[in-house]
């Protein structure tokens, strides 16, 4: 098994605090940001940052659906971490000031223990790009929401 990592980032023309607050709002804002790859989205506990428990299904390809039950933590004032109870997948959302503080640089990093063998080779080769496209779409929706 090998570590699989997907990363993407985007600059958003909104104050970093506003961007972080929107990302941490799993009850109202997050559902608006989700691309069609997400289904069965449900906040099961909390709903705002630390202590939130949220469920969704992520369909990365026509054949690959991942059932995710994510525990959310905030290890710092600018970082959200989603840990899947059903797998080794961990997604970290980081928000940093950009543009002299009038904008925010949002980065998303997802990692998990991939399969071994030839299947693992294809997973390490194609899954990071596919997941980055999904999160790019989500960040574009976040930008549209906050840059109104």
């Amino acid at each position: 098994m090998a570590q699989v990592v997907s990363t993407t980032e985007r600059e958003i023309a909104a104050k970093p605090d506003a961007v972080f607050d929107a990302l941490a709002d799993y009850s109202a804002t997050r559902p608006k940001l989700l691309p069609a790859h997400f289904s069965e989205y449900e906040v099961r506990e909390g709903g705002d940052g630390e202590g939130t428990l949220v469920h969704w299904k992520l369909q990365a390809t026509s054949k690959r659906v991942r059932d995710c039950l994510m525990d959310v933590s905030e290890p710092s004032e600018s970082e959200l971490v989603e840990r899947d109870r059903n797998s080794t997948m961990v997604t970290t959302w980081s928000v940093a000031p950009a543009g002299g503080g009038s904008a925010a640089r949002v980065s998303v990093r997802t990692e998990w223990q991939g399969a071994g063998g030839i299947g693992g080779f294809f997973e390490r080769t194609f899954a990071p790009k596919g997941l980055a496209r999904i999160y790019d779409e989500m960040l574009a929706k976040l930008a549209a929401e906050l840059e109104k």
Side-chain angles (χ1 to χ4, degrees):
M1 294 215 298
Q3 190 80 353
V4 182
V5 178
S6 173
T7 60
T8 190
E9 66 178 28
R10 181 183 183 113
E11 190 167 310
I12 296 176
K15 294 205 176 281
D17 288 347
V19 172
F20 185 84
D21 289 347
L23 286 171
D25 180 5
Y26 288 85
S27 295
T29 305
R30 275 294 182 104
K32 293 189 244 179
L33 307 178
L34 298 176
H37 299 279
F38 290 84
S39 64
E40 299 183 30
Y41 183 88
E42 175 189 23
V43 175
R44 295 191 176 170
E45 294 175 17
D48 185 23
E50 178 87 31
T52 296
L53 179 65
V54 64
H55 171 266
W56 61 70
K57 287 192 176 178
L58 175 60
Q59 185 160 0
T61 68
S62 61
K63 295 179 182 178
R64 179 70 171 123
V65 178
R66 186 182 286 261
D67 190 334
C68 302
L69 185 58
M70 309 300 269
D71 281 306
V72 179
S73 63
E74 290 183 36
S76 73
E77 292 180 5
S78 62
E79 198 172 63
L80 283 168
V81 177
E82 301 166 347
R83 292 186 188 282
D84 189 5
R85 288 186 182 181
N86 299 329
S87 72
T88 60
M89 187 166 69
V90 177
T91 299
T92 303
W93 298 83
S94 301
V95 180
S102 63
R105 166 86 34 211
V106 181
S107 62
V108 185
R109 176 184 171 92
T110 301
E111 54 190 287
W112 66 95
Q113 287 297 317
I118 191 73
F121 168 77
F122 285 106
E123 182 179 23
R124 287 186 305 279
T125 302
F126 297 109
K129 293 173 188 164
L131 193 55
R133 280 192 298 275
I134 292 168
Y135 282 121
D136 280 339
E137 187 177 340
M138 195 170 169
L139 290 174
K141 288 183 175 195
L142 177 63
E145 181 76 19
L146 295 175
E147 294 174 352
K148 291 178 184 175

